[in-house]
């Protein structure tokens, strides 16, 4: 019997379809295997208000033992292209228990899994993707709360004659950590971007999700419009409901994404807030004026 919904460590391998072509330009299925990222190392800083014992310790995991499920999915549309990765929507095809191959689920959406995306690193940013995987695992208790649910970091070896079908415009070759390697994150799909040109009546909820990150000592320096999204709609037939926030005792309406530059620091909650006033505060203020700021403009 499969758990409902699946735990974030339940999937051990990923069969990706309609994404890679062989030397004959025919689509082939490629199996990606889960990798375990390094544990996040905290950083001591010279800020005015810091914790005496350094960055917070990682909270104990509440996950069950890792599963041995294999998820097959089709890659669909390109939906985002950022500094260190390209994001594609997907459609689930098959969920198979490799420990008991008589257990399988066709098109495994709800109640097992929400809509999913894959974030694929280009050849220059695979280390950033590994760092982002570490941060997602560090923030286990905020998955489905303030950040997307994270289902793993996966890699596969490609033959030299294979090519990636949905090739990012910024590179001529398949993204890879080394010749022949492709790396990706499997994540819950989020909702749309925030509206601009109007004041958000619930903007306090955006401050709250950044406060959640601060509880774990996580700094998000990549403060930009495209990294704050509306949470998946609770009424949608393809989404899981948000989890109750352990720090605010509510279900947040927004989510933060893109943690390739994030780090764990020794700041107090007050210092986190001071840092965010000049970035998040200005970002929200300018959005209301129909202006989108980039990080270098703060």
């Amino acid at each position: 019997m499969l758990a409902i919904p699946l735990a974030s460590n339940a999937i051990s391998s990923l069969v990706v379809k309609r994404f890679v072509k062989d030397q004959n330009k025919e689509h082939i299925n490629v199996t990606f295997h889960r990798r375990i990222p390094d544990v996040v190392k905290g950083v001591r800083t010279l800020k005015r208000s810091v914790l005496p014992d350094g960055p917070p310790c990682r909270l104990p995991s509440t996950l069950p033992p890792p599963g041995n499920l294999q998820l097959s999915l089709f890659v669909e549309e390109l939906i985002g292209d950022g500094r260190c990765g390209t994001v594609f929507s997907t459609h689930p095809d098959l969920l198979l228990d490799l420990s008991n191959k008589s257990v399988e689920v066709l098109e495994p959406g709800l109640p097992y899994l929400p809509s999913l995306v894959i974030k694929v690193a280009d050849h220059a940013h695979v280390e950033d993707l590994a760092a982002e995987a570490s941060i997602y695992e560090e923030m286990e208790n905020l998955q489905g709360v303030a950040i997307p649910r994270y289902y793993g970091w996966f890699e596969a070896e490609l033959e030299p004659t294979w090519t990636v079908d949905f090739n990012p415009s910024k590179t001529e070759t398949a993204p890879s950590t080394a010749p022949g390697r492709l790396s990706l994150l499997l994540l819950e799909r989020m909702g749309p971007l925030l509206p601009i040109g109007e004041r958000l009546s619930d903007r306090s909820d955006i401050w709250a999700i950044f406060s959640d990150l601060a509880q774990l000592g996580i700094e998000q320096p990549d403060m930009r419009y495209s990294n704050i999204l509306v949470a998946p709609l609770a009424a949608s037939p393809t989404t899981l409901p948000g989890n109750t926030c352990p720090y605010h005792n509510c279900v947040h309406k927004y989510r933060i994404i893109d943690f390739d530059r994030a780090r764990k620091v020794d700041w107090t909650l007050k210092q986190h807030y001071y840092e965010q006033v000049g970035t998040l505060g200005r970002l929200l203020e300018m959005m209301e004026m129909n202006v989108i700021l980039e990080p270098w403009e703060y």
Side-chain angles (χ1 to χ4, degrees), residues 9 19 33 90 104 119 150 158 178 194 204 270 286 288:
N9 63 345
F19 192 57
H33 296 282
T90 70
E104 62 178 46
K119 180 176 181 178
Y150 157 88
L158 302 185
L194 302 180
S204 62
K270 180 186 295 186
M286 296 305 291
E288 294 174 5

Side-chain angles (χ1 to χ4, degrees), residues 208-249:
I209 57 177
F210 279 93
S211 171
D212 293 339
L213 268 63
Q215 293 283 348
L216 304 183
I218 302 300
E219 177 208 9
Q220 166 61 305
D222 195 11
M223 188 74 73
R224 66 179 72 216
Y225 169 71
S226 58
N227 287 350
I228 307 171
L229 299 177
V230 177
L233 296 175
S236 170
T238 61
T239 63
L240 291 171
N243 295 327
T244 300
C245 177
Y247 306 112
H248 294 94
N249 195 33

Side-chain angles (χ1 to χ4, degrees), residues 7-253:
S8 62
N9 63 345
I11 299 170
S12 62
S13 60
L14 198 61
V15 178
V16 177
K17 303 181 177 183
R18 235 166 32 208
F19 192 57
V20 177
K21 290 183 176 181
D22 63 15
Q23 63 273 21
N24 298 317
K25 307 302 180 184
E26 297 291 335
H27 279 122
I28 55 174
N29 299 339
V30 177
T31 301
F32 289 71
H33 296 282
R34 188 165 190 149
R35 292 194 59 188
I36 304 302
D38 294 335
V39 174
V40 174
K41 294 181 179 179
V43 178
R44 286 185 177 268
T45 69
L46 298 177
K47 294 294 184 179
R48 178 174 298 179
S49 181
V50 297
L51 301 169
D53 296 327
C57 294
R58 183 172 181 171
L59 297 179
S61 175
T62 60
L63 292 173
N68 195 25
L69 301 181
Q70 182 177 81
L71 174 65
S72 300
L73 53 77
F74 293 101
V75 175
E76 296 192 319
E77 297 178 342
L78 170 69
I79 59 175
D81 191 5
R83 187 187 69 86
C84 83
T86 305
V87 180
F88 301 93
S89 63
T90 70
H91 180 78
D93 180 43
L94 178 69
L95 186 65
L96 177 65
D97 187 344
L98 297 179
S99 301
N100 179 5
K101 294 190 176 181
S102 65
V103 178
E104 62 178 46
V105 179
L106 293 173
E107 297 190 343
L110 295 183
Y112 301 102
L113 291 165
S115 293
L116 298 170
V117 299
I118 56 172
K119 180 176 181 178
V120 185
D122 69 21
H123 68 285
H125 293 101
V126 290
E127 294 303 323
D128 294 322
L129 196 73
E132 184 168 11
S134 295
I135 291 290
Y136 268 109
E137 298 213 355
E138 182 78 16
M139 297 192 291
E140 177 190 314
N141 73 319
L142 294 184
Q143 294 176 27
V145 174
I147 65 175
R149 292 175 171 90
Y150 157 88
Y151 291 94
W153 170 38
F154 299 84
E155 288 195 333
E157 295 292 335
L158 302 185
E159 296 293 334
T161 56
W162 295 354
T163 58
V164 175
D165 194 21
F166 293 94
N167 206 25
S169 59
K170 58 187 175 183
T171 175
E172 292 292 329
T173 58
S176 58
T177 54
R181 183 170 294 178
L182 199 62
S183 184
L184 61 83
L185 302 181
L186 183 64
L187 300 164
E188 178 185 24
R189 184 169 185 173
M190 295 292 95
L193 294 165
L194 302 180
I196 62 171
E198 61 184 75
R199 182 176 178 83
L200 294 174
S201 61
D202 49 8
R203 63 186 296 180
S204 62
D205 195 61
I206 297 177
W207 286 96
I209 57 177
F210 279 93
S211 171
D212 293 339
L213 268 63
Q215 293 283 348
L216 304 183
I218 302 300
E219 177 208 9
Q220 166 61 305
D222 195 11
M223 188 74 73
R224 66 179 72 216
Y225 169 71
S226 58
N227 287 350
I228 307 171
L229 299 177
V230 177
L233 296 175
S236 170
T238 61
T239 63
L240 291 171
N243 295 327
T244 300
C245 177
Y247 306 112
H248 294 94
N249 195 33
C250 68
V251 176
H252 291 307
K253 300 177 182 179

